[in-house]
Amino acid sequence: MTGLFIDGGRTLLGQDIAETSLQIGDGVIADIGSDSTHGTLGLDASNLLVLPGIVDLHGDAFERQLMPRPGVDFPVDVALIDSDRQAIANGITTVFHGTTWSWEPGLRGAENARKLLDAIETLRPQLASDTRFHLRQETFNLDAEDEILGWLKAGRIDLLAFNDHMDLAGISKPAKRARMVERTGLTSEAFDQMVDRVLSRTDEVPASIARLAKAANAADVPTLSHDDATPAMRDDFRKLGVNIAEFPINVETAQAAADAGDFIVFGAPNVVRGGSHTGWTKASDMIAKGLCSILASDYYYPAQLLATFRLLHDGILSLPQAWALISSAPAKAAGLTDRGEIAQGRRADLLLVDDSVAMRPRIVAVIVQGKLVHLTDATRLEPARTMQRKAIAAA
C-alpha cells in the first residue's frame, strides 16, 4: 500500500469540523481538501467523523490479559498482542502501557516489569498501535533505583511516574489488603513482614525520587506524579521537573496544578461511569472547571472514546474540546509533536467514527502511520481512482 485517499468525512481540523478529503502518503497527511489521488486505496468516509488517533498516556488494562484471574498467568507476548488488538479496536493509536514496578512480588514485581519491557521492545514492530513503556515506579521500591537509572540512560523508558501505594490506612482495610496479598502470592504473615521491611527505609524515599527525576529530565523523559493529595505535594514534584499531575485527589490540588500550567490527567472511566470507583474526584466536574487537560484509559480501553461523546452529550464540552483531552493534549504532554491533530505533514494516525447513536460511537476504521490496521465495514473500501472519477463527476 503506497497511500490512502479518505473522502467525504466530517474531519476535525483544529477547533472546526469540515467535510473534506485527506491524501495520505509515506505515513503522513500529504494533503487536505484535494481531489487529486495518488494512492492505491480509497476510503469512503461519508456520514462518518474523521478524527486524530487517540493517545493513551496511562493504561494498565493489559494486566487482565497477563492475569485474567488471580494466580492464573498467561505469557507476556500473548497478553501484549491481545491488548494491542483491544487498543486498536477502540481507536488508541499510541498506547503507553502503564507498568507498575512495586516493592511487591507477583504481578507488579520486578520480574514482570523486566519481562514487559523486553516484550514491548521485541514485539513493537509487529504491534498495530505505537506501543510505548510507561514505568510506574513505586517510590518505596528503593532496590530498583539503579536498574531504572540504567533504563533511563539507555532510552528504554518513555514515561516515568512516581507512585506511592504504601498507604497504611489503605492496606489495613481488609478488602484491599486481601487483594494485595492475593496478588503477591504470599502468605498473610509474609506480606506483613515485607511491609515492615519496606517501611523501615522510609527516610530514603525522597532522595531516591529526586535522583530518578533528575535522570528522567536529563533523558527528556516526561514525568508524572500519581494521586497528589495536597498543593504542597504537587509543588514539591514540580520543583523536581515533574509537570504532569496524574489523578490529583481533590479540587485544591488540581487547581494548584492548573494555576502552575501543569498537565492534569484523570481517568476516562470516571467520566463514562459518572464518578470515580474509589469515591474520589468526579472527573466531569473537574473538566467543567477547567481542571483536567488529559483523559487516560486507566483500566478500560473503550473509555476514552466513550468519554468524549459523554462530555458532548452532557453539554460540558464541544467535540473538538473533548477530543483534545484524548489526542492533542496527551501527545503534547508526552513530547510527541508529530501527532494529535489533523494537519499537513503530521503523522497519519486517524479514526473513522460512526457517531449516529448518541454516546455510543462506533469505530469503523483505524489508520496508524498511514496504514489501515482495522476496518469493520469493507464496503467503505474503493480504488482511489474510482473515488477521483466520482469527485470529478460531482463537480
Side-chain angles (χ1 to χ4, degrees):
M1 188 185 303
T2 59
L4 283 171
F5 185 72
I6 302 173
D7 191 41
R10 290 172 288 129
T11 305
L12 178 59
L13 301 171
Q15 289 298 305
D16 298 317
I17 296 177
E19 187 169 316
T20 189
S21 62
L22 298 177
Q23 179 73 55
I24 298 168
D26 297 324
V28 301
I29 299 167
D31 199 4
I32 299 174
S34 172
D35 288 333
S36 176
T37 63
H38 302 288
T40 59
L41 187 65
L43 274 171
D44 176 11
S46 56
N47 301 314
L48 300 178
L49 286 165
V50 181
L51 303 166
I54 296 171
V55 178
D56 184 17
L57 291 190
H58 172 119
D60 57 22
F62 68 89
E63 288 187 343
R64 283 198 294 275
Q65 279 65 258
L66 281 170
M67 188 180 286
R69 290 183 178 178
V72 179
D73 300 315
F74 277 80
V76 175
D77 60 334
V78 172
L80 285 179
I81 290 169
D82 188 26
S83 298
D84 179 63
R85 291 169 182 157
Q86 290 187 35
I88 282 294
N90 287 289
I92 301 171
T93 54
T94 303
V95 60
F96 288 80
H97 284 316
T99 304
T100 302
W101 189 354
S102 178
W103 40 266
E104 312 166 49
L107 178 63
R108 295 184 171 181
E111 183 180 359
N112 259 7
R114 294 175 186 127
K115 283 182 178 179
L116 276 162
L117 177 54
D118 288 343
I120 287 171
E121 291 175 336
T122 300
L123 293 172
R124 188 174 281 141
Q126 70 186 74
L127 299 175
S129 184
D130 183 5
T131 303
R132 294 165 179 259
F133 187 67
H134 170 177
L135 180 62
R136 305 179 67 211
Q137 158 70 344
E138 285 290 337
T139 57
F140 277 79
N141 184 26
L142 297 167
D143 290 338
E145 181 185 326
D146 287 344
E147 189 167 353
I148 294 171
L149 289 170
W151 288 358
L152 286 167
K153 187 174 182 179
R156 303 183 73 190
I157 296 175
D158 300 293
L159 288 179
L160 176 64
F162 295 101
N163 295 2
D164 178 8
H165 290 110
M166 181 50 79
D167 175 7
L168 292 181
I171 291 175
S172 66
K173 293 178 181 178
K176 179 174 181 178
R177 183 180 180 282
R179 287 195 301 271
M180 293 183 73
V181 171
E182 187 174 46
R183 191 169 65 204
T184 62
L186 299 173
T187 65
S188 181
E189 181 180 5
F191 179 80
D192 289 340
Q193 291 172 350
M194 177 186 64
V195 169
D196 289 341
R197 287 195 302 272
V198 172
L199 284 173
S200 70
R201 302 179 66 188
T202 298
D203 291 346
E204 301 175 48
V205 171
S208 176
I209 293 172
R211 287 189 294 268
L212 286 168
K214 182 178 180 180
N217 293 334
D220 282 331
V221 174
T223 49
L224 312 86
S225 59
H226 185 77
D227 289 352
D228 290 338
T230 65
M233 182 182 295
R234 176 86 287 271
D235 186 55
D236 286 343
F237 273 111
R238 188 184 309 109
K239 289 174 181 175
L240 296 174
V242 182
N243 296 319
I244 305 174
E246 190 178 51
F247 308 147
I249 68 173
N250 52 52
V251 173
E252 295 77 17
T253 304
Q255 185 66 62
D259 290 345
D262 299 333
F263 290 101
I264 304 170
V265 182
F266 281 104
N270 185 313
V271 174
V272 177
R273 299 179 67 252
S276 169
H277 70 284
T278 63
W280 286 0
T281 311
K282 187 176 180 180
S284 58
D285 289 345
M286 305 301 273
I287 292 167
K289 295 173 182 175
L291 301 181
C292 172
S293 50
I294 294 169
L295 285 174
S297 75
D298 199 3
Y299 56 86
Y300 190 60
Y301 288 131
Q304 287 173 288
L305 177 67
L306 293 171
T308 57
F309 286 87
R310 172 77 187 260
L311 292 168
L312 175 63
H313 180 268
D314 291 349
I316 296 173
L317 295 178
S318 67
L319 181 59
Q321 291 170 327
W323 202 261
L325 296 175
I326 64 170
S327 194
S328 60
K332 184 178 179 182
L336 301 175
T337 58
D338 62 342
R339 68 197 74 186
E341 296 180 351
I342 297 176
Q344 191 167 340
R346 292 294 185 95
R347 179 179 160 113
D349 291 350
L350 301 163
L351 312 180
L352 273 59
V353 178
D354 179 353
D355 64 336
S356 59
V357 179
M359 291 201 299
R360 293 296 180 266
R362 181 175 66 89
I363 297 288
V364 174
V366 179
I367 296 159
V368 179
Q369 204 170 13
K371 296 180 181 179
L372 181 63
V373 297
H374 181 77
L375 182 67
T376 63
D377 182 0
T379 65
R380 297 276 178 176
L381 285 173
E382 295 185 45
R385 61 182 181 277
T386 303
M387 300 183 81
Q388 183 182 24
R389 285 200 300 269
K390 285 183 178 180
I392 292 171

